[in-house]
Amino acid sequence: KKKQSEKGGSGTATLERELAVEPPPMYSVWLLNDDYTPMDFVVEVLEQFFALSIEQATQVMLTIHHQGQAVAGIYPKDIAETKAQQVIEFSRHNEHPLLCHVEKKPD
């Protein structure tokens, strides 16, 4: 949108721009529970890839353990997909089957 307005009677026109930029859609990165990945490894993943404190990471890990899954973080699509891939690669490199998936947040 562009809006033009005149100030006073001086005849100088000022161009004001209103930018209506929509924020990008956000995506949740979910970590899934399994019977093999150690809890301390999940905490390490949450700290390393999602910048959670040890206390936050422990709470999320316990939610994963008790409820089967939990959101590790919420990001724009490209970042969410990259983080999910990094977690899976890091887990496989360390011989753990930890899985995660990306899901669009409802509006």
Side-chain angles (χ1 to χ4, degrees):
K1 290 182 193 176
K2 290 184 181 178
K3 184 168 71 174
Q4 197 169 345
S5 64
E6 281 194 30
K7 291 188 176 181
S10 66
T12 59
T14 306
L15 187 61
E16 296 176 12
R17 235 183 223 178
E18 295 176 20
L19 296 176
V21 177
E22 299 258 342
M26 301 301 278
Y27 290 75
S28 302
V29 181
W30 290 82
L31 265 60
L32 308 178
N33 190 42
D34 65 69
D35 293 333
Y36 304 100
T37 304
M39 292 179 179
D40 60 338
F41 182 79
V42 176
V43 170
E44 180 184 345
V45 163
L46 290 163
E47 288 177 294
Q48 184 172 334
F49 295 99
F50 300 95
L52 299 182
S53 69
I54 190 160
E55 293 82 10
Q56 293 169 317
T58 300
Q59 284 301 319
V60 173
M61 176 275 297
L62 288 171
T63 301
I64 295 165
H65 181 70
H66 293 295
Q67 296 180 11
Q69 63 182 359
V71 173
I74 300 171
Y75 307 93
K77 185 177 185 180
D78 291 349
I79 295 171
E81 289 176 345
T82 298
K83 288 195 176 284
Q85 190 59 41
Q86 288 173 328
V87 167
I88 291 169
E89 287 175 10
F90 183 70
S91 298
R92 296 310 165 273
H93 179 75
N94 287 279
E95 301 180 351
H96 296 301
L98 182 64
L99 289 176
C100 59
H101 69 92
V102 173
E103 189 176 292
K104 186 175 182 195
K105 279 192 59 158
D107 293 332

